[in-house]
Amino acid sequence: VETPAAKVLVDIARIQDDTVGDGTTSVTVLCGELLREAEFLVNQRVHPMTIMQGWRQAVQIARSALEQAAVDNSADQALFKEDLLNIARTTLSSKLLNVEK
């Protein structure tokens, strides 16, 4: 890998795989889109620090929305089990279940 941006994407995918064990394609696509949008904004003469500030603000807003939408079903064993099964189905659907179908 020769270009700096490509090296960053490879590093991000490697970290994602080492940390979570999955999601390397998703994180690479997301980062690629962020880079594409950043290039567009830089070409429009938006300063890179302004772009970073916007991304940081977007992360805070997204995190807040996720925290507000989160539901804690740990007190109800049946609902908690269903949550875990749904998480497992979602996680495996892109990998193992599609092979089995």
Side-chain angles (χ1 to χ4, degrees):
V1 181
E2 295 179 17
T3 66
K7 287 179 183 179
V8 169
L9 289 176
V10 168
D11 288 343
I12 290 170
R14 187 174 294 126
I15 291 167
Q16 176 75 11
D17 191 46
D18 291 346
T19 305
V20 182
D22 193 21
T24 55
T25 301
S26 299
V27 77
T28 303
V29 169
L30 175 62
C31 290
E33 287 301 312
L34 289 171
L35 287 171
R36 183 190 331 251
E37 290 299 317
E39 180 183 34
F40 173 78
L41 292 170
V42 166
N43 289 338
Q44 298 296 315
R45 301 193 182 273
V46 176
H47 194 278
M49 292 304 293
T50 303
I51 297 168
M52 287 302 303
Q53 183 180 7
W55 284 350
R56 287 186 179 113
Q57 185 177 3
V59 166
Q60 290 174 349
I61 292 168
R63 181 175 288 143
S64 175
L66 287 171
E67 288 171 353
Q68 289 175 6
V71 177
D72 182 2
N73 287 328
S74 61
D76 183 328
Q77 189 174 6
L79 288 175
F80 188 67
K81 181 179 177 181
E82 187 61 30
D83 288 344
L84 291 176
L85 288 172
N86 286 335
I87 291 166
R89 285 184 194 106
T90 300
T91 302
L92 296 174
S93 67
S94 67
K95 303 287 179 196
L96 302 176
L97 296 181
N98 286 333
V99 172
E100 294 296 321
K101 287 183 179 179

